[in-house]
Each structure stands twice: as C-alpha cells, then as structure tokens.
Amino acid sequence: MSAPRVLEGARDKWDRTPLRVRLTAAVLVLVAGSLILISVSTILALHSYFLGTVDEELEAQLLNFSPDVFDPEDMEDEGTPTVRPEQYVFSILYGEGNRFDRPTDRADYPVFDYEDLVAADGEAFTALSADGTTRWRVLGLTGSMVGTNDPEYDPEDHNLQGDAYYVLSYKLAHFDKTVAGLVWVDLLIGAGVLAGLAAIGVGLVRASLSPLRQIENTAAMIAAGNYSRRVPEHDPATEVGRVGRAINSMLTKVEGPFGPASTPSSARTTPRSGCASSSPTPRTSCARR
C-alpha cells in the first residue's frame, strides 16, 4: 500500500473520530510528550552528574596515591592502593602488552588495552566486561602523573614507570540499577498521571460539549416540525454562544413562513358540512342531501 493511501485512510479515520475523542487524545499526547521529555532530561542529567562524580573520584585517588610505597612488580604488596574489591579494579598496563590486575580473582574485569588508554589521553571512558553484561568506568594515568598530588611527593624518588598506565576502574552496576529504578518510577508515575488526566479529561470534554448536544437535539426537534424550539442561550463570548444565537436568529426567520401562525384559517377550520357555507342554495336543498 502506497504512502498517500495510508495517509488518506488515516485522515478518513481521523475525520470520522468524534470531537471529544480528538480533544482527549490531543491532550494526552501533549502530556505524554512532556512527561517523556522531562524524564529523559532528568535521567540524562543524573547520568552526567554521576559519571562526573565518579571520574573526579577516580582521578583524585590516582593523583593522591603515594607512589614511593608501590611496587609494580608485586600486586599483592600491602603498600599498593587499597581499593574495595567488590567495586574497584586496579590495573597496570605496559606498552609491551603486559597487564596486572588487583584483585586477581574477578570474572568480570573491564576489557581495554594500552591503545585504548593512549586514545583516552587521561580522560575517563566506559568499558564492558568480557561477557558484555557489566559496565565499568575506567580512568588511566601515566606513571609520571600518578601521586603528583601527594603531600610527600618527590619527583626524584618517583619510582613509577613513566610510559606505563595505572588504571582505576569503577563498577557501574549500582549506578545502572539506580537509573533502571528511576526509569520504572517515571513510567509508573507517568502512567498514573495519564490515566488520571484521561478520566478527568473525558469528563471535562463531555461537559464542554454538552451545549453542542443541546443544539443537536434542538435541530432534531425542528426537523420533526417543532419550529417553536430554540437553542438554549449561552454566553455570546463563547463559540457555542455565538453559534446558538445565530441558529436562534435563523429559526425566528424560518418560523415566519413555515410556522403555525402562517397557516390559513380556512385550512385550520373544517366545516361541519356543506350547509355551513355561504352559498345561496336554499336550505331545502341541503335537507334533501
């Protein structure tokens, strides 16, 4: 089926749709669009704010880490950065491709390589786990930058490899659950608002269109021959009031030639018999009849 026919069919259905349904549907569409816009804006703002907070935290931990107590060859050294193993992963990546992770017993490590860190150029990015189900926020800094905000930082004693990347990854599972919960809350609230507005809107539209039904009923009575009927008066400042006044004015003019007052008296009065006429015929002839 061609597009013009589809549009024509949709237009025909729309033309056959009652006015109260059109008005209610239009209001609901506008409200639904507003709710969707507000919800999407809120979620995007929350997403941006949360990721920005995570990025700042990752950067602060890497910059404030004391490098003089870190042995990059021994990831189990007690002097290595203390991170929560359920939420963070600390990694070291070298240019030749070697990678060390702490903790060492995770199954959902974020997937990234040395080239990804070089391309990020010190900016945080999002990486997925190997199975693609877990999202991580990843920030990597070169060894020459790690620990530079530490109060005891001494460039001469800096023992971290300058071309290696020291990476801290944050698991976004809690954030994803929070966003999913917010989406469900928005959906439930939006559905409730739309349902309430639909109920209220139907009632308001019915009440607003009741004068049109009165005009319809009056027109039906006039079509049946009752020319004395008039449309109820409404405020002339409204559309219904102006239409009603115009119809009543028209009916006043129509009632003249077609109303009961225009019917001849001879047609309204039926003689009892031909003897009641003014004919000069003698009464005897009437009696013979």
Side-chain angles (χ1 to χ4, degrees), residues 1 33 55 93 118 124 135 155 174 177 198 204-205 225 227 238 240 254 265 274 279:
M1 184 178 294
D55 295 346
L93 278 79
V118 173
R135 297 197 313 143
H174 296 295
K177 289 181 180 179
L204 291 177
V205 170
Y227 297 100
T238 63
V240 174
V254 170
S265 58
S279 173

Side-chain angles (χ1 to χ4, degrees), residues 210-223 225-234 240-241 243-261:
S210 59
L212 294 181
R213 288 195 294 271
Q214 295 174 354
I215 293 176
E216 179 184 357
N217 295 334
T218 301
M221 293 180 181
I222 294 172
N226 188 358
Y227 297 100
S228 63
R229 293 288 301 180
R230 294 294 182 271
V231 174
E233 294 289 341
H234 293 279
V240 174
V243 171
R245 292 186 64 180
I247 292 177
N248 287 336
S249 177
M250 179 188 66
L251 291 176
T252 301
K253 296 178 181 180
V254 170
E255 187 181 12
F258 295 101

Side-chain angles (χ1 to χ4, degrees), residues 98-114:
N98 295 331
R99 173 173 172 171
F100 301 93
D101 295 302
R102 180 183 180 190
T104 59
D105 57 351
R106 295 195 68 103
D108 57 350
Y109 287 111
V111 177
F112 57 88
D113 54 23
Y114 190 88

Side-chain angles (χ1 to χ4, degrees), residues 115-125 139-141 165:
E115 287 72 20
D116 295 331
L117 298 172
V118 173
D121 193 22
E123 299 291 334
F125 60 94
L139 177 63
L141 300 178
Y165 273 94

Side-chain angles (χ1 to χ4, degrees), residues 152-172:
E152 300 180 358
Y153 173 75
D154 185 359
E156 296 182 358
D157 297 335
H158 199 291
N159 61 345
L160 299 183
Q161 187 171 338
D163 61 349
Y165 273 94
Y166 297 80
V167 185
L168 198 57
S169 304
Y170 177 82
K171 189 176 182 180
L172 295 176

